[in-house]
Amino acid sequence: MNTDELYQEILLQHSRRPRNHGPLENPTHRADGHNALCGDELSVELRIVDDQLEAVRFQASACAICTASGSLMTGAVTGLKTHEATALAGDFRKLASTGEVAPAIESLTALRALGAVHRFPQRVKCATLAWETFSAAIREGAVAQG
Amino acid sequence: MADVERWRREFPFLDGDNPAAYLDNGASTQKPRAVIERMRQFAGHEYANVHRGIHELSERSTAVYEGSRERARKFFNAATAESIVFTRGTTEAVNLVAFAWGGQNVKSGDTILLTEMEHHSNMVPWQQLAARTGATIKYVPVLENGAGLDLDAARTLLAERPRIFAFTHISNTMAVENPVKDLCLLARENGVTTLIDAAQSAAHIPVDVQEIGCDFLACSAHKMCGPTGIGVLYGRHEILAQMPPWQFGGEMVDRVEFTGAKFRPPPARFEAGTPAIIESAGLHAALDFVDSVGLESIAAHSSALAEYAAEKLRALPGVRVFGPSGERAHLVTFAVEGVHAHDLAFFCNDRRVAIRAGHHCAQPLMRKLGAPASARASFHFYNTPAESDRLVDAIAEAIRFFNP
């Protein structure tokens, strides 16, 4: 069944108990994203110090796939340099839209489980929303520091 | 409905042993053979452009097109066929009024009155008109849980004499049927022009524009078992006659010089360019079909099915059903605690049950009700209690899957 193919146990665990979910103290960057098709809403907050992602948190009112993807993303990018994270975001986009596994995500088993969405075109955006919002936060989400 | 099996046989979509349970009629309805066949026949053997050819085909095509207008007049009991303007659908009809009537009648400082339960298509055109003219928009609030319109507030707001009151007949999310006749009377007493969004009510319940007493009414054929690409704007003829055109080109002109043009009277004035001729034949067939089923039985059947589904859904753990506590129109919108609507719809789809998920083009309302996303099942006369059971079973299963 499609249900089992898409909602793998590892993803359900992340959607029920997302990691790094909730507001971040003193973010340096933030962005909001939404999926007009289904009403998913998600925000990402980052603390970037010396071009390194020191902390990444997200908040979502979203479907299981979107929430799991946000949870997995925070784990995957925390500690990376921003250009590394941006490259990983590109790899993830490719994974979600084509199922193609780039070398950088080969070892990220849980993240790879999201590759199943490429078979369900209407769910691709669910998986990519967190990453798109994350990229937007790096690109144009600098928070004015008081 | 006694004859539901008989009517189901009229829909190719329902052929075969195990058709999907199509519960997304609020978005669009399936098409009966009569409509499909009529359009095929017309396109294949009777087609030409309208209102121009001297040849026999064009004459016949024009007769078909104008015959569809007369059929729509009869369906909505308009006083004259000149009151029926063909548009692309409800959205274009509302835009037409917002541009043509609104441009002429709404000025800076005026108020446009809507309700919180409007579909985006009866909200955004007015927001844009307000932005162009400097008018203000006010909304009649919705009662708790979407149980209906706050009619006391409506009375107060209408007494402030807004320029127009544009509101839905049946809410596409809350399953509420608004008291259109009373509201139009109240509006008339205050000198307020009225527009009714009948997208969800047309072909679901009897809609009689003279009895309702509205100035404008808009609907889409594709939600009435008819084709996409055509809809109806009813306008009281005295008002239409005063309105300027909003799109320009062929068909709508009376006489053109290099220096300017004179325009034809309504409805032609509002139908620039070659219209949806084949679709008009389909609309005609759809109205005949719907009438042969009978609007009273359609209303009773789909509303009973929605109530049946609502009752069973309410009994499931964590399910919140929106809308009226009393009589429910043909749909049920609900949310499940801990399970997002998109996951519910995906799960249902896997079990061949088609429902809608999301904000239902009523984002502000759903935010106010604290459910930015919800699921909606909407019924029609060809749906059965067994299909409603398939929905409820799938939702129960989804709850066990996502909230073990």
Side-chain angles (χ1 to χ4, degrees):
Chain A
M1 283 273 234
N2 291 333
T3 307
D4 303 320
E5 192 182 337
L6 181 65
Y7 298 105
Q8 298 178 36
E9 187 53 35
I10 182 74
L11 300 181
L12 287 173
Q13 284 171 19
H14 275 270
S15 80
R16 286 181 198 129
R17 272 180 298 281
R19 324 301 195 253
N20 304 307
H21 193 259
L24 175 67
E25 267 182 45
N26 305 320
T28 59
H29 294 69
R30 72 177 314 285
D32 298 315
H34 75 279
N35 183 350
L37 176 71
C38 66
D40 282 355
E41 290 183 355
L42 178 142
S43 64
V44 172
E45 292 183 309
L46 319 172
R47 193 158 60 241
I48 301 177
V49 179
D50 293 337
D51 197 40
Q52 188 158 29
L53 287 151
E54 196 182 270
V56 180
R57 289 181 76 78
F58 82 111
Q59 292 186 79
S61 162
C63 69
I65 297 304
C66 182
T67 306
S69 179
S71 173
L72 287 162
M73 177 198 73
T74 60
V77 298
T78 302
L80 297 185
K81 293 285 187 189
T82 55
H83 72 273
E84 294 169 332
T86 304
L88 192 61
D91 289 343
F92 183 79
R93 199 179 313 117
K94 199 175 285 172
L95 173 76
S97 50
T98 69
E100 189 185 324
V101 181
I105 37 180
E106 236 162 57
S107 59
L108 303 171
T109 322
L111 204 63
R112 278 174 50 188
L114 282 167
V117 296
H118 85 272
R119 281 190 287 275
F120 308 102
Q122 294 212 336
R123 301 310 294 266
V124 170
K125 175 103 192 214
C126 306
T128 56
L129 183 63
W131 289 87
E132 280 169 18
T133 311
F134 168 75
S135 299
I138 291 185
R139 212 169 47 239
E140 56 208 28
V143 176
Q145 301 295 314
Chain B
M1 205 159 67
D3 286 341
V4 63
E5 283 310 322
R6 174 188 155 203
W7 296 120
R8 280 174 73 83
R9 283 196 291 278
E10 299 296 327
F11 288 81
F13 173 82
L14 296 168
D15 284 351
D17 290 338
N18 183 27
Y22 183 78
L23 306 181
D24 197 15
N25 294 287
S28 203
T29 57
Q30 295 297 334
K31 315 304 173 201
R33 277 178 233 287
V35 169
I36 298 164
E37 278 309 306
R38 178 64 190 118
M39 290 174 74
R40 207 183 58 82
Q41 166 68 24
F42 178 73
H45 304 282
E46 302 169 42
Y47 181 75
N49 210 328
V50 292
H51 296 146
R52 53 193 86 188
I54 300 302
H55 50 83
E56 188 189 332
L57 270 177
S58 176
E59 226 168 81
R60 266 165 57 187
S61 201
T62 302
V64 167
Y65 184 66
E66 292 306 322
S68 303
R69 196 189 307 281
E70 168 55 25
R71 184 65 184 87
R73 180 208 69 72
K74 191 171 152 219
F75 189 82
F76 293 110
N77 192 31
T80 69
E82 285 70 39
S83 281
I84 302 293
V85 178
F86 285 133
T87 65
R88 276 196 300 135
T90 309
T91 300
E92 191 177 71
V94 176
N95 275 281
L96 191 165
V97 177
F99 272 90
W101 181 89
Q104 193 177 44
N105 290 284
V106 175
K107 307 271 181 296
S108 174
D110 286 345
T111 300
I112 298 163
L113 186 60
L114 310 175
T115 82
E116 287 181 345
M117 63 168 77
E118 295 317 306
H119 187 282
H120 294 164
S121 61
N122 195 28
M123 186 179 286
V124 182
W126 302 111
Q127 290 174 341
Q128 293 299 309
L129 173 65
R132 285 196 300 275
T133 57
T136 305
I137 296 193
K138 290 189 179 176
Y139 295 93
V140 177
V142 162
L143 298 171
E144 202 174 327
N145 201 43
L149 277 185
D150 182 340
L151 295 175
D152 291 334
R155 213 161 283 125
T156 310
L157 287 161
L158 281 168
E160 293 173 11
R161 295 174 176 269
R163 290 297 296 149
I164 188 164
F165 181 28
F167 60 105
T168 190
H169 194 173
I170 290 178
S171 161
N172 75 315
T173 45
M174 294 302 114
V176 167
E177 180 184 339
N178 287 318
V180 282
K181 197 176 162 183
D182 297 349
L183 288 167
C184 285
L185 179 63
L186 207 55
R188 219 166 32 250
E189 287 169 358
N190 287 288
V192 180
T193 301
T194 47
L195 178 144
I196 293 178
D197 171 357
Q200 290 298 327
S201 58
H204 274 274
I205 60 175
V207 174
D208 178 329
V209 290
Q210 295 193 68
E211 197 198 323
I212 292 170
C214 54
D215 295 309
F216 297 106
L217 182 136
C219 66
S220 303
H222 74 91
K223 294 189 204 253
M224 307 166 68
C225 297
T228 51
I230 190 167
V232 168
L233 171 68
Y234 159 79
R236 227 161 29 83
H237 193 251
E238 306 84 277
I239 299 191
L240 286 182
Q242 298 297 317
M243 281 162 52
W246 76 309
Q247 288 179 348
F248 302 87
E251 298 271 350
M252 52 81 69
V253 282
D254 183 33
R255 188 183 172 83
V256 181
E257 310 279 354
F258 280 122
T259 49
K262 281 187 171 164
F263 308 119
R264 292 171 67 192
R269 185 186 299 165
F270 304 107
E271 295 178 359
T274 295
I277 307 164
I278 301 167
E279 289 77 4
S280 84
L283 171 62
H284 190 147
L287 298 182
D288 285 348
F289 184 79
V290 164
D291 269 343
S292 67
V293 182
L295 284 161
E296 299 286 352
S297 26
I298 292 175
H301 178 80
S302 48
S303 147
L305 266 184
E307 190 43 56
Y308 174 73
E311 217 165 284
K312 295 210 161 186
L313 287 167
R314 268 194 215 100
L316 298 177
V319 173
R320 174 183 177 194
V321 172
F322 299 95
S325 43
E327 204 163 310
R328 168 175 296 279
H330 58 279
L331 56 100
V332 53
T333 300
F334 59 99
V336 178
E337 207 185 321
V339 191
H340 192 271
H342 202 166
D343 295 317
L344 290 175
F346 187 92
F347 207 89
C348 287
N349 179 60
D350 226 15
R351 282 135 192 84
R352 309 195 69 234
V353 178
I355 60 167
R356 176 86 189 264
H359 49 59
H360 319 299
C361 299
Q363 274 180 333
L365 172 66
M366 297 318 290
R367 276 199 206 99
K368 173 175 169 159
L369 297 175
S374 54
R376 180 187 74 186
S378 44
F379 300 89
H380 217 332
F381 58 88
Y382 44 73
N383 291 124
T384 64
E387 289 177 322
S388 170
D389 290 342
R390 280 170 66 187
L391 164 74
V392 176
D393 289 346
I395 297 296
E397 209 185 326
I399 293 172
R400 288 194 296 274
F401 182 81
F402 289 104
N403 287 342

